[in-house]
Amino acid sequence: ALPGQVDSILKVVNATFSVFDSTSLLSRFNAGEKITLNQDFIKVFQESYLVSQATNGAFDCTIQPLTELWGFGRKNQKQIVPQSEIDSVKKFIGYQLITLNNNQLEKKEPRVQLNFNAIAKGYAVDKIAAFIEHLGYQNFIVEVGGEVVSKGQKNGEDWIIGIQVPTETADGADESNYTFALKNRAVATSGNYRNYFEKNGVRYTHILNPTTGRPEQTNVLSVSVIADNCMTADAYATAFMVLGLEKSMEIVKKTPNLAVYFIYDDHGKYKTTKSPNFP
């Protein structure tokens, strides 16, 4: 019965956070309905807000209108967007435009729309791990699309996780060149080598910078973040893609429960760097 129960957890998360399902709680909120938030929504919003504050808005759950504008949302018509359109949408982007009061979300600007795609998957992994632990299992691993929580050990040894080498193309083979032990913690990887479009030799990735309103032009190819839970790791991995190496490392120095591993492009060569506390 376990696979069915795990599926039902994923269905509940999807029914709350999916931007592709017009009946989800999130879509109904974005459409202007007054909704009653569930605990999942409240937890994910609160964590989003904390990460936004810690990263000076590099992570921002109000990014949905930009996601749609660039064609990485429901429309899926990826296109270069003129600056005038970006400027008009940016007026209602900003995590400070929305507050949580008595389990109700209040918009300071009616056109604000939310997107939790950079944190909800990590939250789903945490929920599944908590459920499996609740059933009494002590040694297990949960992985959903590159987001991982590990508990206990495998045959008396720590779980070993591999970080994927970035691929040249969106459908390149999965390979790993760096492995590490992960015990009772979570890791999430954000990369820009799977979801992008190219025009005139320029690559436009799905990692959007909330400040500029444009896909982040960066030499960072992938960021892996270890944290106490996968929701936090997921959000910071996205924020660090936007912030780049130096600013991200400064945040990790101040936040001892985070560790980070970067893969970046140095004039056509892959290079890696990590915080001293990354195993």
Side-chain angles (χ1 to χ4, degrees):
L2 190 58
Q5 289 168 303
V6 168
D7 276 349
S8 66
I9 291 172
L10 289 170
K11 280 196 181 108
V12 168
V13 171
N14 216 36
T16 303
F17 297 115
S18 173
V19 290
F20 301 104
D21 175 0
S22 61
T23 66
S24 75
L25 209 53
L26 180 76
S27 293
R28 287 165 50 204
F29 174 81
N30 284 346
E33 244 184 83
K34 203 160 175 60
I35 56 164
T36 304
L37 301 181
N38 60 21
Q39 281 308 302
D40 294 333
F41 206 114
I42 290 165
K43 277 185 192 157
V44 168
F45 177 79
Q46 286 173 326
E47 181 67 17
S48 294
Y49 207 87
L50 291 173
V51 176
S52 294
Q53 287 179 312
T55 61
N56 202 12
F59 179 90
D60 196 318
C61 66
T62 65
I63 199 138
Q64 172 61 7
L66 280 171
T67 307
E68 290 299 334
L69 192 63
W70 283 92
F72 288 106
R74 280 190 300 261
K75 281 206 306 275
N76 199 22
Q77 292 171 306
K78 302 176 179 69
Q79 57 192 6
I80 296 177
V81 180
Q83 190 62 44
S84 58
E85 286 186 47
I86 295 170
D87 290 340
S88 65
V89 165
K90 268 173 62 181
K91 294 185 181 106
F92 40 100
I93 306 284
Y95 72 98
Q96 303 93 336
L97 294 174
I98 192 155
T99 49
L100 181 67
N101 287 324
N102 303 327
N103 293 350
Q104 284 287 320
L105 281 182
E106 292 171 12
K107 300 179 181 183
K108 293 178 190 166
E109 149 67 71
R111 291 171 297 178
V112 167
Q113 292 196 349
L114 304 180
N115 180 320
F116 292 112
N117 285 3
I119 187 170
K121 200 200 298 181
Y123 179 69
V125 174
D126 289 333
K127 262 198 102 152
I128 293 165
F131 171 69
I132 293 171
E133 211 163 18
H134 172 73
L135 294 179
Y137 295 99
Q138 292 168 332
N139 303 298
F140 62 88
I141 197 159
V142 178
E143 186 264 345
V144 178
E147 327 283 272
V148 179
V149 166
S150 75
K151 295 287 176 182
Q153 294 181 308
K154 178 185 180 180
N155 306 329
E157 302 206 346
D158 288 346
W159 291 100
I160 300 296
I161 309 294
I163 294 176
Q164 191 192 323
V165 178
T167 55
E168 291 294 331
T169 56
D171 53 3
D174 288 354
E175 292 178 72
S176 174
N177 70 344
Y178 189 89
T179 58
F180 61 94
L182 187 74
K183 190 173 182 179
N184 298 331
R185 300 206 76 200
V187 64
T189 297
S190 184
N192 60 16
Y193 49 89
R194 289 282 188 201
N195 192 359
Y196 61 85
F197 67 97
E198 283 181 352
K199 282 264 167 81
N200 308 329
V202 178
R203 185 176 284 199
Y204 295 87
T205 79
H206 74 290
I207 307 277
L208 298 170
N209 182 327
T211 309
T212 63
R214 306 178 70 81
E216 190 51 35
Q217 297 288 310
T218 174
N219 67 336
V220 176
L221 299 167
S222 103
V223 183
S224 298
V225 174
I226 295 175
D228 296 333
N229 63 69
C230 204
M231 168 171 64
T232 303
D234 198 3
Y236 273 104
T238 303
F240 290 169
M241 284 295 305
V242 171
L243 286 172
L245 272 73
E246 284 86 12
K247 286 178 180 164
S248 301
M249 287 294 192
E250 281 168 31
I251 290 171
V252 172
K253 267 190 199 133
K254 292 186 297 206
T255 323
N257 61 336
L258 296 179
V260 65
Y261 179 95
F262 282 99
I263 304 177
Y264 63 99
D265 180 340
D266 185 18
H267 302 98
K269 283 200 178 73
Y270 288 164
K271 291 204 173 163
T272 64
T273 185
K274 66 187 188 70
S275 59
N277 63 345
F278 198 98

